[in-house]
């Protein structure tokens, strides 16, 4: 076998491992190999095109439909991506029971890993048989990076080890740290931290993983304006490389790999086994939410109000707040402004100008705020609005300077987009959280006042409509933001998977350096994810096979 084959092996190829080879691999990982059964199998009268394999069950299908949009329905699955659009629509719970249920772009097999050794064996097996390898943690990824046709998946979900290191010290940091296993979700890690009077930088959605794609891609969330991005907290990574070695990557050990893993995106440089992160003493904090309705008869005033609000953002994020706002044709909502270390009256004061302006403009709004004594209580007090990732996405980072140089253009673009898609602005200040170039997080994140994320819903019954939604993002909606921010950027975890300029936009000038490190540690591109570093060398064909371009 060639050491750098042109294509990955797929089912049906002579080289695809025989059942006996899968079986002995299974034994080598103590029976942790799972053959994929798509979770919507109970909704179909055939499975893999065979009637005698069918798991059809009307009641199970009804139950699945009732819970389909919850993350917790997909988290225990070894294969179901939360972004349905990346399944190839091959086993759709909302279609007729006579429609087929096949594997589509789901992995063929998954190692349900519980140790670094399980991961190491999966890496060795995938290399030996030239099989596409994917890494799955929660399956939340919006760009489909945690699934892949004809692949072997390494699934880290059950790697839940977590450990307090009360007195961590290196050249840059001395204080409490927590070593977080690859499978922990944000809420699990923060619940552990809280039991020790600490808190960790994590995301908005409680079930997003913390050590996987989130931190490796940057990671924003309620604490970032105070402490920097999630990745700015990382002291070291334990990682299984493509050479099947377990390495520790830190500023002192394999610093190039540390730099690349710290911001260069998940699924690319190795399989992270754990990360050790700074832990901060928990703090009181406050939350505010606001809703202003667009009644349709005063839309100019409505957007004028939004324009004024945007000018208030620097003050808020500089005081440590993290502000998420959502614009739709019907309403403008802040959900939430999260202010660690600020009391309710301090947050109220910051919102006073916005409330006055909306009032002067004749737009009624509702405003609520409260405080809690600890970060965890504040975080847990928020409504759990987070469902699966089944929206086609686009994203753009908006530099702080644009608020001065072109405020009207910005509001016009928001108005154009929000009148036809759901649009979210995630506002923060991570400008001075690390020394420049300390890690590979997109440098544009440092000048960002908010990242815009826009989404078009997946249609489960009209696949073409879903595809058109993604195309509208690429060709109509994002260009308005690109014109405003020439040579600008996007946050790689919240971006358009079809962006033609992804190398520049997602990596902000770091792409070539990241790719050199990729070549050093993974010269055969064992780790592939669309839009990941090195993925420009590969393309997935219509048959699902991954080949070099
Ligand atoms: C509802 C929702 C809310 C979100 N909120 C936020 C937010 O507040 N802030 C934010 O920054 N982002 C947010 N995101 C985006 C989030 O950062 C990405 O979806 C991220 O990819 C999730 O990482 P994961 O490991 O949980 O998911 P997965 O889909 O399992 O993995 C994502 C990527 O990381 C790779 N990966 C996973 N584990 C490992 C590992 N151990 N080693 C190497 N690679 C690995 C996968 O191969 C894949 O490429 C949100 C997403 C959703 C769906
Ligand atoms: C792997 O082995 C376990 C335990 O023997 C078994 O339950 C499981 O079905 C096997 N997996 C595959 C893919 O055969
Ligand atoms: C199931 O049906 C397929 C044809 O669709 C046949 O090849 C196979 O032998 C059947 N298996 C069993 C266990 O009956
Ligand atoms: C989340 O999913 C549930 C159950 O499918 C649904 O009732 C709810 O409306 C969804 N929430 C959002 C915000 O989409
Ligand atoms: C993906 O879907 C297309 C259209 O239905 C089909 O032709 C193709 O075979 C599918 N590929 C895989 C790998 O399922
Ligand atoms: C994966 O392993 C865990 C134990 O670590 C087990 O509880 C779970 O049921 C397994 N999941 C699957 C799908 O095999
Ligand atoms: C705007 O529309 C709302 C609801 O339709 C109505 O209550 C309100 O009086 C209208 N305001 C003006 C200024 O026309
Ligand atoms: C970052 O720090 C510099 C130097 O102290 C300061 O001038 C600048 O305003 C800070 N940037 C932000 C966005 O806070
Ligand atoms: C579900 C599915 O298609 N699984 C395939 C995985 O690979 C084996 C061969 O090892 C095929 O027989 C299965 O059909």
């Amino acid at each position: 076998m060639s050491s750098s084959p042109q294509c990955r092996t797929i089912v049906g190829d002579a080289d695809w491992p025989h059942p006996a080879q899968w079986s002995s691999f299974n034994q080598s990982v103590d029976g942790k190999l799972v053959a994929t059964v798509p979770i919507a199998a109970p909704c179909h009268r055939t499975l893999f095109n065979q009637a005698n394999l069918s798991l059809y069950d009307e009641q199970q299908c009804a139950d699945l439909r009732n819970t389909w949009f919850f993350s917790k329905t997909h988290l225990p699955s070894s294969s179901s991506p939360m972004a349905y659009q990346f399944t190839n629509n091959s086993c759709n719970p909302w279609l007729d029971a006579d429609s087929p249920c096949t594997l589509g772009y789901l992995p063929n097999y998954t190692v349900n890993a519980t140790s670094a050794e399980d991961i190491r064996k999966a890496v060795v097996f995938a290399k030996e048989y030239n099989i596409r390898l994917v890494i799955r943690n929660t399956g939340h990824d919006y760009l489909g990076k945690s699934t892949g046709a004809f692949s072997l998946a390494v699934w880290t979900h059950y790697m839940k080890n977590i450990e307090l290191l009360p007195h961590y010290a290196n050249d840059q940091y001395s204080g409490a740290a927590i070593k977080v296993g690859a499978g922990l979700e944000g809420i699990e890690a923060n619940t552990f931290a809280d039991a020790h009077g600490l808190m960790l930088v994590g995301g908005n959605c409680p079930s997003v993983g913390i050590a996987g794609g989130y931190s490796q891609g940057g990671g924003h969330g309620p604490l970032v304006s105070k402490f920097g991005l999630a990745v700015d907290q990382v002291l070291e990574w334990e990682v299984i490389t493509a050479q099947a070695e377990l390495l520790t990557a830190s500023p002192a050990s394999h610093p190039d790999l540390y730099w690349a893993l710290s911001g260069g995106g998940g699924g690319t440089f190795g399989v992270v086994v754990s990360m050790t992160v700074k832990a901060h003493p928990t703090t009181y904090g406050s939350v505010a939410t606001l809703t202003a309705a667009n009644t349709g008869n005063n839309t100019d005033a409505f957007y004028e109000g939004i324009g004024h609000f945007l000018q208030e953002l620097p003050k808020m994020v500089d005081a440590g707040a993290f502000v998420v706002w959502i614009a739709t044709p019907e309403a403008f909502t802040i959900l939430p402004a999260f202010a660690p270390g600020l009391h309710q009256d301090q947050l109220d004061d910051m919102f006073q100008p916005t409330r006055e302006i909306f009032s002067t403009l004749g737009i009624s709004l509702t405003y609520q705020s409260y405080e809690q004594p600890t970060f965890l209580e504040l975080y847990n007090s928020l409504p759990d609005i987070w469902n699966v990732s089944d929206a086609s996405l686009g994203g753009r980072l908006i530099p702080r300077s644009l608020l001065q140089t072109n405020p009207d253009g910005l509001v016009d673009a928001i108005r154009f987009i929000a009148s036809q898609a759901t649009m979210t602005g995630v506002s923060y200040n991570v400008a001075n959280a690390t020394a420049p170039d300390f890690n590979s997080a997109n440098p544009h994140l440092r000048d960002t006042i908010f990242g815009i994320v826009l989404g078009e819903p997946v249609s489960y019954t009209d696949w073409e409509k879903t595809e058109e939604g993604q195309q509208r993002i690429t060709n109509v909606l994002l260009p308005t933001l690109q014109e405003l921010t020439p040579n600008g950027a996007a946050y790689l975890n919240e971006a358009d998977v079809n962006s033609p300029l992804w190398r520049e936009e997602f990596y902000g000038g770091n792409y070539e350096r990241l790719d050199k490190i990729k070549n050093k540690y993974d010269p055969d591109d064992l780790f592939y994810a669309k839009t990941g570093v090195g993925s420009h060398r590969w393309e997935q064909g219509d048959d699902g096979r991954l080949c070099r371009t």
Side-chain angles (χ1 to χ4, degrees):
M1 192 192 305
S2 152
S3 66
S4 55
Q6 190 62 25
C7 293
R8 297 291 173 225
T9 297
I10 67 173
V11 173
D13 292 351
D15 289 348
W16 183 260
H18 298 296
Q21 290 163 322
W22 284 110
S23 173
S24 68
F25 174 53
N26 189 14
Q27 280 165 28
S28 80
V29 292
D30 304 321
K32 292 174 202 166
L33 188 69
V34 184
T36 297
V37 176
I39 64 168
C43 300
H44 299 271
R45 290 206 180 81
T46 58
L47 176 61
F48 308 134
N49 297 316
Q50 292 176 44
N52 55 12
L53 294 179
S54 175
L55 298 172
Y56 183 70
D57 182 321
E58 225 168 293
Q59 187 56 47
Q60 278 183 37
C61 178
D63 292 346
L64 181 73
R65 286 179 178 178
N66 282 334
T67 56
W68 179 262
F69 299 102
F70 296 130
S71 303
K72 65 171 192 270
T73 301
H74 304 264
L75 285 170
S77 160
S78 64
S79 61
S80 182
M82 293 195 205
Y84 180 76
Q85 59 275 32
F86 298 102
T87 63
N88 204 29
N89 199 20
S90 297
C91 188
N92 184 329
W94 303 98
L95 292 186
D96 189 85
D98 290 321
S99 67
C101 175
T102 61
L103 215 47
Y105 292 170
L106 307 188
N108 191 294
Y109 292 102
T110 298
V111 175
N112 185 359
T114 54
S115 67
E117 191 52 20
D118 292 339
I119 295 172
R120 206 188 60 74
K121 284 177 178 154
V123 163
V124 169
F125 187 84
K127 273 174 70 137
E128 184 179 353
Y129 290 98
N130 182 34
I131 291 172
R132 178 172 177 182
L133 185 70
V134 310
I135 308 168
R136 171 185 174 84
N137 181 20
T138 64
H140 261 299
D141 199 87
Y142 279 119
L143 287 84
K145 291 164 73 182
S146 44
T147 192
F150 305 111
S151 63
L152 171 65
V154 173
W155 186 29
T156 57
H157 180 64
Y158 290 96
M159 300 195 49
K160 302 279 191 192
N161 289 343
I162 186 162
E163 186 188 344
L164 174 69
L165 308 171
H167 308 292
Y168 189 94
N170 69 10
D171 289 349
Q172 290 85 27
Y173 177 75
S174 158
I178 293 182
K179 184 176 175 183
V180 186
L184 281 117
E185 294 152 43
I187 186 61
E188 293 171 330
N190 254 307
T191 301
F192 175 89
D194 183 74
H196 300 280
L198 299 167
M199 59 185 183
L200 301 178
V201 175
N204 283 307
C205 167
S207 68
V208 164
I210 189 158
Y214 167 79
S215 285
Q216 291 172 50
H220 59 67
L223 296 175
V224 297
S225 296
K226 218 171 156 56
F227 300 114
L229 296 168
V231 73
D232 299 337
Q233 318 306 311
V234 180
L235 300 160
E236 44 187 89
W237 305 95
E238 270 187 312
V239 57
I240 299 280
T241 65
Q243 314 302 326
E245 281 179 306
L246 177 63
L247 297 183
T248 296
S250 73
S253 163
H254 306 286
D256 53 354
L257 184 59
Y258 170 79
W259 183 84
L261 279 168
S262 304
T268 307
F269 301 100
V271 189
V272 165
V273 174
S274 76
M275 67 173 189
T276 301
V277 286
K278 296 176 193 172
H280 307 280
T282 192
T283 175
Y284 63 87
S286 55
V287 151
T289 58
L290 177 157
T291 303
N294 179 7
T295 51
N297 50 11
N298 56 0
T299 300
D300 289 343
F302 178 76
Y303 282 100
E304 196 182 329
I306 292 176
H308 281 286
F309 161 74
L310 298 180
Q311 296 295 331
E312 299 293 321
L313 279 172
K315 197 171 65 190
M316 295 182 182
V317 298
D318 292 357
F322 173 77
V323 183
V324 181
W325 51 269
I326 304 161
T328 68
E330 293 79 32
F332 178 73
T333 309
I334 295 175
L335 193 66
F338 196 109
L342 292 185
H343 288 293
Q344 181 183 2
D345 56 347
Q346 294 173 296
L347 190 56
D348 289 345
D349 285 348
M350 276 196 275
F351 270 98
Q352 199 51 39
T354 301
R355 296 171 71 184
E356 276 164 16
I357 282 153
F358 274 89
S359 161
T360 308
L361 290 166
I363 295 168
S364 67
L365 56 73
T366 55
Y367 174 85
Q368 282 176 322
S369 63
Y370 56 86
E371 70 177 74
Q372 293 284 343
T374 65
F375 168 71
L376 190 66
E377 283 164 285
L378 195 60
Y379 186 79
N380 283 339
S381 72
L382 296 170
D384 187 358
I385 55 164
W386 303 103
N387 279 359
V388 290
S389 327
D390 55 357
S392 301
L393 235 65
R396 193 77 178 172
L397 297 176
I398 303 300
R400 197 186 251 255
S401 58
L402 198 70
L403 291 176
Q404 262 87 57
T405 57
N406 194 358
D408 297 341
L410 179 60
V411 174
D412 288 347
I414 291 172
R415 183 170 178 165
F416 174 75
I417 294 169
S419 65
Q420 42 193 321
T422 297
M423 166 171 193
T424 303
V426 183
S427 324
Y428 46 78
N429 174 0
V430 296
N432 292 317
T434 60
D437 200 38
F438 181 73
N439 57 38
S440 58
N442 191 329
H444 290 274
L445 289 162
R446 306 295 172 191
D447 331 311
T448 294
I449 184 64
F450 48 82
I452 287 180
V453 185
L454 48 105
E456 294 268 10
V458 163
S459 169
Y460 284 88
T461 49
D462 186 344
W463 192 244
E464 267 174 31
K465 197 171 155 201
T466 300
E467 289 177 338
E468 283 162 17
Q470 187 72 63
Q471 284 161 15
R472 194 160 44 249
I473 286 173
T474 309
N475 301 323
V476 181
L477 302 178
L478 275 181
T480 61
L481 296 172
Q482 287 156 351
E483 278 163 32
L484 277 179
T485 57
N487 305 313
Y491 170 38
L492 63 81
N493 280 329
E494 295 175 338
D496 174 10
V497 66
N498 294 329
S499 168
L501 293 175
W502 61 271
R503 284 188 248 184
E504 294 79 6
E505 291 171 346
F506 295 11
Y507 300 94
N510 284 334
Y511 192 82
E512 279 176 31
R513 182 171 163 200
L514 285 165
D515 200 32
K516 277 204 184 104
I517 298 168
K518 166 88 174 162
N519 274 309
K520 174 175 166 189
Y521 287 94
D522 182 15
D524 295 329
D525 291 333
L526 178 70
F527 302 111
Y528 164 89
K530 192 171 179 200
T531 73
V533 170
S535 65
H536 66 279
R537 287 185 282 277
W538 297 83
E539 198 164 19
Q540 182 174 306
D542 291 338
D543 59 355
R545 188 196 292 274
L546 194 61
C547 291
R548 289 181 189 275
T549 51

